[in-house]
Tab-separated table of all heavy atoms in Angstrom:
chain	number	residue	atom	x	y	z
A	50	MET	N	23.878	-10.164	-2.252
A	50	MET	CA	22.718	-9.943	-1.389
A	50	MET	C	23.073	-9.049	-0.209
A	50	MET	O	22.331	-8.152	0.164
A	50	MET	CB	22.200	-11.309	-0.882
A	50	MET	CG	20.924	-11.205	-0.042
A	50	MET	SD	19.565	-10.541	-1.036
A	50	MET	CE	18.223	-10.681	0.125
A	51	ILE	N	24.253	-9.313	0.408
A	51	ILE	CA	24.689	-8.487	1.536
A	51	ILE	C	24.864	-7.040	1.110
A	51	ILE	O	24.484	-6.104	1.802
A	51	ILE	CB	25.991	-9.043	2.142
A	51	ILE	CG1	25.702	-10.389	2.827
A	51	ILE	CG2	26.591	-8.060	3.129
A	51	ILE	CD1	26.926	-11.051	3.402
A	52	ALA	N	25.424	-6.862	-0.107
A	52	ALA	CA	25.615	-5.502	-0.613
A	52	ALA	C	24.290	-4.789	-0.783
A	52	ALA	O	24.165	-3.597	-0.509
A	52	ALA	CB	26.373	-5.554	-1.945
A	53	LEU	N	23.273	-5.517	-1.230
A	53	LEU	CA	21.960	-4.920	-1.416
A	53	LEU	C	21.347	-4.538	-0.076
A	53	LEU	O	20.701	-3.494	0.060
A	53	LEU	CB	21.037	-5.906	-2.153
A	53	LEU	CG	21.360	-6.134	-3.627
A	53	LEU	CD1	20.510	-7.274	-4.183
A	53	LEU	CD2	21.136	-4.875	-4.448
A	54	LEU	N	21.541	-5.391	0.949
A	54	LEU	CA	21.001	-5.102	2.268
A	54	LEU	C	21.681	-3.891	2.894
A	54	LEU	O	21.100	-3.182	3.703
A	54	LEU	CB	21.153	-6.318	3.190
A	54	LEU	CG	20.213	-7.488	2.896
A	54	LEU	CD1	20.596	-8.681	3.755
A	54	LEU	CD2	18.760	-7.094	3.142
A	55	ARG	N	22.941	-3.662	2.531
A	55	ARG	CA	23.659	-2.530	3.104
A	55	ARG	C	23.112	-1.202	2.593
A	55	ARG	O	23.387	-0.150	3.150
A	55	ARG	CB	25.144	-2.638	2.758
A	55	ARG	CG	25.871	-3.700	3.574
A	55	ARG	CD	27.289	-3.865	3.118
A	55	ARG	NE	28.005	-4.834	3.932
A	55	ARG	CZ	29.180	-5.341	3.621
A	55	ARG	NH1	29.782	-4.969	2.503
A	55	ARG	NH2	29.781	-6.221	4.410
A	56	GLY	N	22.320	-1.246	1.520
A	56	GLY	CA	21.715	-0.024	1.005
A	56	GLY	C	22.522	0.570	-0.111
A	56	GLY	O	23.379	-0.064	-0.706
A	57	GLY	N	22.237	1.845	-0.407
A	57	GLY	CA	22.955	2.516	-1.489
A	57	GLY	C	22.046	2.698	-2.688
A	57	GLY	O	20.855	2.410	-2.664
A	58	ALA	N	22.635	3.163	-3.780
A	58	ALA	CA	21.846	3.508	-4.962
A	58	ALA	C	21.139	2.315	-5.560
A	58	ALA	O	20.103	2.445	-6.199
A	58	ALA	CB	22.771	4.157	-6.010
A	59	HIS	N	21.727	1.122	-5.379
A	59	HIS	CA	21.149	-0.056	-6.017
A	59	HIS	C	20.450	-0.966	-4.997
A	59	HIS	O	20.236	-2.147	-5.262
A	59	HIS	CB	22.245	-0.844	-6.730
A	59	HIS	CG	22.944	-0.049	-7.794
A	59	HIS	ND1	22.330	0.311	-8.969
A	59	HIS	CD2	24.194	0.483	-7.830
A	59	HIS	CE1	23.189	1.022	-9.706
A	59	HIS	NE2	24.311	1.143	-9.030
A	60	ALA	N	20.087	-0.426	-3.840
A	60	ALA	CA	19.427	-1.226	-2.813
A	60	ALA	C	18.039	-1.642	-3.282
A	60	ALA	O	17.363	-0.938	-4.041
A	60	ALA	CB	19.310	-0.431	-1.514
A	61	LEU	N	17.610	-2.790	-2.824
A	61	LEU	CA	16.289	-3.281	-3.183
A	61	LEU	C	15.202	-2.452	-2.513
A	61	LEU	O	15.359	-2.010	-1.375
A	61	LEU	CB	16.140	-4.747	-2.722
A	61	LEU	CG	16.921	-5.801	-3.504
A	61	LEU	CD1	16.774	-7.155	-2.811
A	61	LEU	CD2	16.425	-5.894	-4.935
A	62	ARG	N	14.080	-2.250	-3.209
A	62	ARG	CA	12.917	-1.618	-2.593
A	62	ARG	C	12.057	-2.734	-2.015
A	62	ARG	O	11.364	-3.445	-2.746
A	62	ARG	CB	12.125	-0.813	-3.633
A	62	ARG	CG	10.959	-0.045	-3.008
A	62	ARG	CD	10.172	0.696	-4.045
A	62	ARG	NE	9.109	1.460	-3.440
A	62	ARG	CZ	8.179	2.115	-4.138
A	62	ARG	NH1	8.210	2.092	-5.450
A	62	ARG	NH2	7.233	2.795	-3.512
A	63	MET	N	12.126	-2.902	-0.719
A	63	MET	CA	11.475	-4.027	-0.064
A	63	MET	C	10.079	-3.654	0.397
A	63	MET	O	9.795	-2.504	0.720
A	63	MET	CB	12.312	-4.500	1.132
A	63	MET	CG	13.720	-4.950	0.769
A	63	MET	SD	14.698	-5.285	2.240
A	63	MET	CE	13.763	-6.631	2.979
A	64	ARG	N	9.198	-4.668	0.444
A	64	ARG	CA	7.854	-4.491	0.993
A	64	ARG	C	7.530	-5.665	1.898
A	64	ARG	O	7.776	-6.813	1.533
A	64	ARG	CB	6.800	-4.423	-0.128
A	64	ARG	CG	6.705	-3.079	-0.826
A	64	ARG	CD	5.627	-3.092	-1.880
A	64	ARG	NE	5.504	-1.812	-2.543
A	64	ARG	CZ	4.711	-1.587	-3.590
A	64	ARG	NH1	3.986	-2.577	-4.080
A	64	ARG	NH2	4.642	-0.397	-4.136
A	65	SER	N	7.004	-5.351	3.047
A	65	SER	CA	6.570	-6.414	3.950
A	65	SER	C	5.339	-7.086	3.357
A	65	SER	O	4.598	-6.500	2.568
A	65	SER	CB	6.230	-5.812	5.314
A	65	SER	OG	5.577	-6.759	6.126
A	66	MET	N	5.115	-8.351	3.735
A	66	MET	CA	3.923	-9.059	3.271
A	66	MET	C	2.699	-8.713	4.112
A	66	MET	O	1.572	-8.983	3.721
A	66	MET	CB	4.157	-10.579	3.312
A	66	MET	CG	5.169	-11.064	2.285
A	66	MET	SD	4.721	-10.600	0.595
A	66	MET	CE	3.104	-11.356	0.450
A	67	THR	N	2.917	-8.126	5.285
A	67	THR	CA	1.820	-7.835	6.197
A	67	THR	C	1.467	-6.351	6.140
A	67	THR	O	2.348	-5.495	6.204
A	67	THR	CB	2.207	-8.208	7.637
A	67	THR	OG1	2.569	-9.589	7.673
A	67	THR	CG2	1.049	-7.971	8.585
A	68	GLY	N	0.177	-6.063	6.002
A	68	GLY	CA	-0.221	-4.660	5.955
A	68	GLY	C	-1.723	-4.469	6.059
A	68	GLY	O	-2.504	-5.428	6.004
A	69	TYR	N	-2.127	-3.211	6.240
A	69	TYR	CA	-3.541	-2.845	6.305
A	69	TYR	C	-3.700	-1.490	5.641
A	69	TYR	O	-2.860	-0.598	5.792
A	69	TYR	CB	-4.031	-2.769	7.754
A	69	TYR	CG	-5.395	-2.121	7.887
A	69	TYR	CD1	-6.555	-2.870	7.706
A	69	TYR	CD2	-5.517	-0.753	8.146
A	69	TYR	CE1	-7.803	-2.275	7.789
A	69	TYR	CE2	-6.753	-0.154	8.236
A	69	TYR	CZ	-7.898	-0.913	8.056
A	69	TYR	OH	-9.140	-0.320	8.130
A	70	GLY	N	-4.789	-1.345	4.910
A	70	GLY	CA	-5.082	-0.071	4.288
A	70	GLY	C	-6.568	0.113	4.072
A	70	GLY	O	-7.323	-0.866	4.011
A	71	SER	N	-6.992	1.341	3.976
A	71	SER	CA	-8.405	1.624	3.719
A	71	SER	C	-8.533	2.828	2.802
A	71	SER	O	-7.658	3.701	2.773
A	71	SER	CB	-9.162	1.875	5.032
A	71	SER	OG	-8.687	3.053	5.667
A	72	GLY	N	-9.612	2.843	2.053
A	72	GLY	CA	-9.900	3.953	1.164
A	72	GLY	C	-11.407	4.112	1.016
A	72	GLY	O	-12.149	3.160	1.248
A	73	SER	N	-11.854	5.288	0.672
A	73	SER	CA	-13.291	5.517	0.561
A	73	SER	C	-13.596	6.477	-0.578
A	73	SER	O	-12.718	7.204	-1.059
A	73	SER	CB	-13.863	6.065	1.874
A	73	SER	OG	-13.275	7.317	2.189
A	74	ALA	N	-14.841	6.458	-0.998
A	74	ALA	CA	-15.311	7.367	-2.047
A	74	ALA	C	-16.820	7.526	-1.891
A	74	ALA	O	-17.508	6.623	-1.407
A	74	ALA	CB	-14.976	6.820	-3.434
A	75	GLU	N	-17.304	8.688	-2.295
A	75	GLU	CA	-18.740	8.965	-2.213
A	75	GLU	C	-19.376	8.881	-3.589
A	75	GLU	O	-18.881	9.484	-4.542
A	75	GLU	CB	-18.984	10.348	-1.616
A	75	GLU	CG	-18.597	10.476	-0.161
A	75	GLU	CD	-18.944	11.835	0.412
A	75	GLU	OE1	-19.380	12.722	-0.379
A	75	GLU	OE2	-18.797	12.025	1.634
A	76	ALA	N	-20.449	8.098	-3.669
A	76	ALA	CA	-21.240	8.026	-4.896
A	76	ALA	C	-22.453	8.919	-4.683
A	76	ALA	O	-23.528	8.451	-4.275
A	76	ALA	CB	-21.650	6.588	-5.182
A	77	THR	N	-22.272	10.208	-4.922
A	77	THR	CA	-23.319	11.173	-4.589
A	77	THR	C	-24.590	10.942	-5.401
A	77	THR	O	-25.692	11.220	-4.932
A	77	THR	CB	-22.815	12.605	-4.814
A	77	THR	OG1	-22.303	12.722	-6.149
A	77	THR	CG2	-21.688	12.929	-3.839
A	78	GLY	N	-24.431	10.421	-6.631
A	78	GLY	CA	-25.605	10.174	-7.455
A	78	GLY	C	-26.533	9.135	-6.864
A	78	GLY	O	-27.744	9.139	-7.117
A	79	HIS	N	-25.982	8.225	-6.076
A	79	HIS	CA	-26.777	7.173	-5.428
A	79	HIS	C	-26.844	7.366	-3.917
A	79	HIS	O	-27.407	6.520	-3.214
A	79	HIS	CB	-26.170	5.804	-5.736
A	79	HIS	CG	-26.236	5.414	-7.184
A	79	HIS	ND1	-27.366	4.872	-7.771
A	79	HIS	CD2	-25.313	5.523	-8.176
A	79	HIS	CE1	-27.121	4.626	-9.045
A	79	HIS	NE2	-25.893	5.017	-9.323
A	80	GLN	N	-26.279	8.480	-3.436
A	80	GLN	CA	-26.291	8.781	-2.003
A	80	GLN	C	-25.697	7.641	-1.179
A	80	GLN	O	-26.244	7.224	-0.151
A	80	GLN	CB	-27.718	9.091	-1.533
A	80	GLN	CG	-28.253	10.430	-2.022
A	80	GLN	CD	-27.428	11.604	-1.466
A	80	GLN	OE1	-27.398	11.862	-0.268
A	80	GLN	NE2	-26.736	12.303	-2.370
A	81	LEU	N	-24.556	7.140	-1.660
A	81	LEU	CA	-23.890	6.034	-0.975
A	81	LEU	C	-22.435	6.384	-0.687
A	81	LEU	O	-21.807	7.124	-1.436
A	81	LEU	CB	-23.938	4.759	-1.838
A	81	LEU	CG	-25.321	4.136	-2.100
A	81	LEU	CD1	-25.178	2.984	-3.088
A	81	LEU	CD2	-25.947	3.651	-0.806
A	82	ASN	N	-21.963	5.836	0.408
A	82	ASN	CA	-20.549	5.935	0.742
A	82	ASN	C	-19.923	4.553	0.604
A	82	ASN	O	-20.462	3.570	1.118
A	82	ASN	CB	-20.356	6.445	2.173
A	82	ASN	CG	-18.884	6.576	2.534
A	82	ASN	OD1	-18.173	7.437	2.025
A	82	ASN	ND2	-18.407	5.705	3.408
A	83	ILE	N	-18.813	4.482	-0.106
A	83	ILE	CA	-18.127	3.198	-0.336
A	83	ILE	C	-16.806	3.211	0.420
A	83	ILE	O	-16.007	4.134	0.252
A	83	ILE	CB	-17.876	2.966	-1.831
A	83	ILE	CG1	-19.214	2.907	-2.589
A	83	ILE	CG2	-17.077	1.676	-2.049
A	83	ILE	CD1	-19.058	2.903	-4.087
A	84	GLN	N	-16.596	2.204	1.236
A	84	GLN	CA	-15.333	2.073	1.966
A	84	GLN	C	-14.744	0.699	1.676
A	84	GLN	O	-15.435	-0.307	1.727
A	84	GLN	CB	-15.534	2.237	3.466
A	84	GLN	CG	-14.224	2.150	4.253
A	84	GLN	CD	-14.405	2.396	5.737
A	84	GLN	OE1	-15.514	2.550	6.226
A	84	GLN	NE2	-13.303	2.435	6.467
A	85	ILE	N	-13.460	0.680	1.368
A	85	ILE	CA	-12.754	-0.582	1.103
A	85	ILE	C	-11.623	-0.715	2.103
A	85	ILE	O	-10.795	0.189	2.242
A	85	ILE	CB	-12.216	-0.632	-0.339
A	85	ILE	CG1	-13.375	-0.702	-1.332
A	85	ILE	CG2	-11.291	-1.837	-0.524
A	85	ILE	CD1	-12.951	-0.806	-2.787
A	86	GLU	N	-11.605	-1.844	2.793
A	86	GLU	CA	-10.521	-2.172	3.716
A	86	GLU	C	-9.746	-3.353	3.163
A	86	GLU	O	-10.336	-4.296	2.642
A	86	GLU	CB	-11.077	-2.497	5.109
A	86	GLU	CG	-11.758	-1.312	5.778
A	86	GLU	CD	-12.248	-1.653	7.169
A	86	GLU	OE1	-12.228	-2.854	7.531
A	86	GLU	OE2	-12.659	-0.733	7.898
């Protein structure tokens, strides 16, 4: 585990559990804007 934390070619790709993101798309056929948070 310590070796993995030190980094290198075989280091783990870590992700935090906390985050925020948003994305949007336009439905022009229905004249609507969709936003997802």
Side-chain angles (χ1 to χ4, degrees):
M50 184 63 175
I51 291 178
L53 289 172
L54 287 173
R55 285 175 177 168
H59 300 290
L61 288 174
R62 184 182 182 186
M63 300 173 62
R64 281 182 179 174
S65 169
M66 291 304 302
T67 303
Y69 168 84
S71 65
S73 62
E75 293 184 353
T77 53
H79 294 278
Q80 288 297 295
L81 294 174
N82 181 70
I83 299 171
Q84 182 177 5
I85 292 182
E86 295 182 350

